[in-house]
Amino acid sequence: MNARPALRQNDYSPVAVPQLGAWSPDLSVSVVIPAHGGQGLELTLAALAAQTYPDHLMEVLVVDDGSDPPIRLPELRPVNTRVVRVRDGWGISNAVNTGVKAADGEIIQRLDADMVACREHIEAMARWHHATDYLVSIGMKKFVDTPPVTPRQVFTARRLDEVFDLAEALPSSTEATIAKTDGLRKSRNPYHVCTGPTFALPREVFHAVGGLDPNVVRGEDTEFSYRLAMYGVVFVPEMEAQAVHLGLPSQHRDRERAVRAVEPYLAHRIPLRRDLRKDRGRRWLVPYVEIVLDVAGAAESVVRRAVAAALDGKLQDVVVTLAGPWSRLDDEHRATLSDPDFELRLMRDLFAHDERVRLIDEAAPTPAPTPFRYRGPVDVPLHRATLERMIESVQKDLAGVLVVDLPDGRTARLERTSALGRALLLTDGGTDDGTDDDDVIGTTHGVRHEPPDRYWPAPPAPEPVTIPAQVTAAEPPEKTLLRRLRSALRPG
């Protein structure tokens, strides 16, 4: 079995997973449950105690996020269950991160404290991670009013509909999205449905993207899933991993405030949400495009023109990265005008305090979480429409890289961050066997070559100068203008 098949876009069809109940797992799972107050936790733990996944491969960590009184575990619970107390910070993101730090499992299963999972839930989610190691599995959920049911009844029930009225349950909106996009295989942004209450992923992947952001109070799971997408993962909805959520979602209690509360967090951190970035002139925490220019050996005047063009395009949601040997510059005593690094030092001093320009020695492997990166010759300034048109082009078919072949044989390129991330995953951080990253991206997302005409339109022809009829050949236009100005300024 190929542990890392080169999956196309979000099409996980080539991944073969075992049938439930007909295989022997060997990866350990840590179920991390953030909890404040513990309402519904007894039913959640009772359902986990009845899981088909082997006890010796599963641990449950209930992360007590400042409950008063502190959470105490009920008698009916999985064999390996413990409480982890949050000592610093607060909120769901912080609690999940605290739990994962204390976890021993190779797979992290995130689960809400008011979720009741079917008996096969953990097994169904974990089987995907036995097949390959860059997937995120997403469980299903329905919303129900909490019935008068005991933990023992939940534990002994063979199916969820034995204790919950699923006919009256409110389905999650994500299930409709999953159905419309062929199980997310044809989804343009599959991270949208990975919204929290139950998902699983390799622990290494969780740490690689930095865990959840404790500064995000609302929409933390969507923001985390977006960073996972930029890392290159594939999202898999697991329809067999059913669960019920006790109580209606917050949107049903106060939809208007729920939507408004999440908007600032997503607007600043998910550039693909263009609908949230309509305010002109704004600057955002995560830019839409990183423009990388190699300035080593370039003249300051050339770089200045390139930066000015980059920042003055129709697409303003950008940051410019100037890659050059900045670290060799020091502040030792020197003859300023005869300094061999005069041009480089001049550039540093010119751009050092511009928040939209970054000076680094070498660009990172990917610009994550920024979703796009442009690379091109520093002496070929961007046209005002270049970036806008390049993004419009790649968004049509979600191509991974657009290469524009310039007339002099050089190239300019727009790279999709999720495609770069996928290539790094498939090559263990980079190619060292002569294989070009574009070969990998060509398989997973596609690479296109196009001529420059659309992206660098020819400058318009200068408009002809019309000389007024009263101006004669003996009197040049500038002389006429000067005469008129004197006449207008003459007293009386």
Side-chain angles (χ1 to χ4, degrees):
M1 178 183 68
N2 182 359
R4 285 185 178 168
L7 300 177
R8 179 81 177 182
Q9 303 283 3
N10 201 65
D11 186 3
Y12 50 87
S13 300
V15 179
V17 293
Q19 292 294 317
L20 295 178
W23 66 298
S24 298
D26 56 24
L27 295 179
S28 55
V29 177
S30 293
V31 184
V32 177
I33 305 174
H36 179 76
Q39 294 84 357
L41 182 60
E42 289 186 350
L43 301 184
T44 300
L45 293 178
L48 289 175
Q51 291 295 303
T52 58
Y53 206 73
D55 284 343
H56 71 282
L57 290 176
M58 187 176 81
E59 67 170 355
V60 176
L61 297 92
V62 177
V63 186
D64 187 352
D65 186 20
S67 301
D68 186 16
I71 289 175
R72 300 188 59 160
L73 295 175
E75 283 189 31
L76 186 50
R77 62 180 188 265
V79 174
N80 303 310
T81 303
R82 54 196 167 106
V83 175
V84 177
R85 311 283 181 194
V86 174
R87 304 300 179 191
D88 299 301
W90 65 279
I92 293 175
S93 297
N94 186 65
V96 172
N97 292 343
T98 300
V100 174
K101 286 178 184 176
D104 296 322
E106 296 156 286
I107 301 170
I108 299 298
Q109 166 73 55
R110 154 90 155 87
L111 195 67
D112 271 359
D114 49 9
M115 294 277 286
V116 179
C118 71
R119 300 170 72 90
E120 302 82 15
H121 197 99
I122 303 301
E123 179 189 352
M125 299 281 273
R127 60 179 173 167
W128 290 96
H129 307 292
H130 283 72
T132 190
D133 62 356
Y134 71 99
L135 306 178
V136 175
S137 52
I138 306 168
M140 302 298 106
K141 61 181 180 294
K142 291 181 172 63
F143 298 91
V144 300
D145 289 324
T146 307
V149 61
T150 66
R152 180 60 57 180
Q153 288 174 305
V154 169
F155 176 75
T156 58
R158 304 298 301 177
R159 300 186 315 274
L160 289 174
D161 60 6
E162 293 179 14
V163 286
F164 299 101
D165 186 359
L166 299 186
E168 296 296 321
L170 178 68
S172 168
S173 60
T174 61
E175 293 192 23
T177 301
I178 290 168
K180 280 191 238 179
T181 57
D182 187 25
L184 296 185
R185 294 177 185 88
K186 297 178 180 177
S187 174
R188 297 180 66 84
N189 293 300
Y191 72 89
H192 277 174
V193 305
C194 190
T195 55
T198 169
F199 64 80
L201 74 169
R203 183 175 61 179
E204 289 185 2
V205 173
F206 182 96
H207 288 305
V209 300
L212 277 71
D213 186 343
N215 296 310
V216 179
V217 178
R218 300 285 298 181
E220 67 284 337
D221 297 313
T222 301
E223 189 276 335
F224 175 63
S225 300
Y226 165 76
R227 281 186 284 119
L228 286 170
M230 295 303 101
Y231 186 67
V233 306
V234 171
F235 295 89
V236 181
E238 176 48 84
M239 307 310 291
E240 298 294 334
Q242 293 291 327
V244 296
H245 187 289
L246 303 176
L248 296 178
S250 59
Q251 289 89 335
H252 280 253
R253 296 193 296 271
D254 191 337
R255 178 172 179 78
E256 190 262 345
R257 282 205 167 194
V259 171
R260 289 178 61 200
V262 75
E263 180 176 330
Y265 298 105
L266 302 190
H268 270 292
R269 294 167 174 82
I270 304 184
L272 294 180
R273 288 293 306 269
R274 305 311 293 161
D275 58 312
L276 300 180
R277 294 191 174 187
K278 292 182 178 179
D279 299 343
R280 295 183 61 81
R282 292 288 309 278
R283 296 289 177 265
W284 306 97
L285 181 63
V286 179
Y288 193 38
V289 184
E290 180 189 28
I291 300 167
V292 178
L293 302 172
D294 186 349
V295 302
E300 174 269 335
S301 58
V302 171
V303 175
R304 183 187 288 234
R305 283 195 298 273
V307 172
L311 297 180
D312 192 39
K314 290 184 178 180
L315 183 60
Q316 294 279 302
D317 193 359
V318 303
V319 64
V320 177
T321 294
L322 302 181
W326 308 106
S327 61
R328 81 183 185 201
L329 299 180
D330 56 43
D331 294 320
E332 297 294 328
H333 180 75
R334 63 189 180 280
T336 303
L337 300 184
S338 59
D339 185 354
D341 288 321
F342 178 83
E343 294 288 327
L344 190 67
R345 199 177 300 276
L346 194 61
M347 280 186 268
R348 184 195 67 177
D349 296 341
L350 180 65
F351 296 113
H353 305 293
D354 191 326
E355 64 180 11
R356 298 180 68 192
V357 179
R358 300 186 291 206
L359 310 179
I360 61 174
D361 279 31
E362 186 176 357
T366 86
T370 298
F372 294 103
R373 178 169 68 188
Y374 169 85
R375 289 177 177 270
V378 69
D379 59 348
V380 181
L382 290 165
H383 184 276
R384 292 199 77 238
T386 301
L387 289 180
E388 187 178 61
R389 293 182 181 183
M390 291 181 89
I391 291 176
E392 181 184 74
S393 180
V394 299
Q395 287 295 69
K396 288 178 181 178
D397 60 358
L398 299 182
V401 175
L402 170 62
V403 181
V404 178
D405 298 302
L406 301 174
D408 61 2
R410 294 182 295 173
T411 62
R413 50 193 285 135
L414 184 75
E415 303 166 331
R416 185 182 298 276
T417 301
S418 55
L420 295 175
R422 181 79 56 84
L424 287 173
L425 285 171
L426 294 175
T427 59
D428 285 320
T431 57
D432 55 8
D433 59 357
T435 303
D436 192 276
D437 280 342
D438 281 6
D439 292 339
V440 180
I441 295 174
T443 301
T444 63
H445 291 78
V447 175
R448 283 196 283 110
H449 285 256
E450 293 188 10
D453 308 44
R454 182 167 180 265
Y455 308 108
W456 275 269
E463 296 183 7
V465 177
T466 302
I467 301 176
Q470 65 268 32
V471 179
T472 66
E475 183 178 65
E478 60 271 18
K479 188 172 181 180
T480 300
L481 177 60
L482 181 59
R483 178 170 51 78
R484 288 178 178 175
L485 284 172
R486 286 172 177 168
S487 177
L489 296 173
R490 187 177 299 124

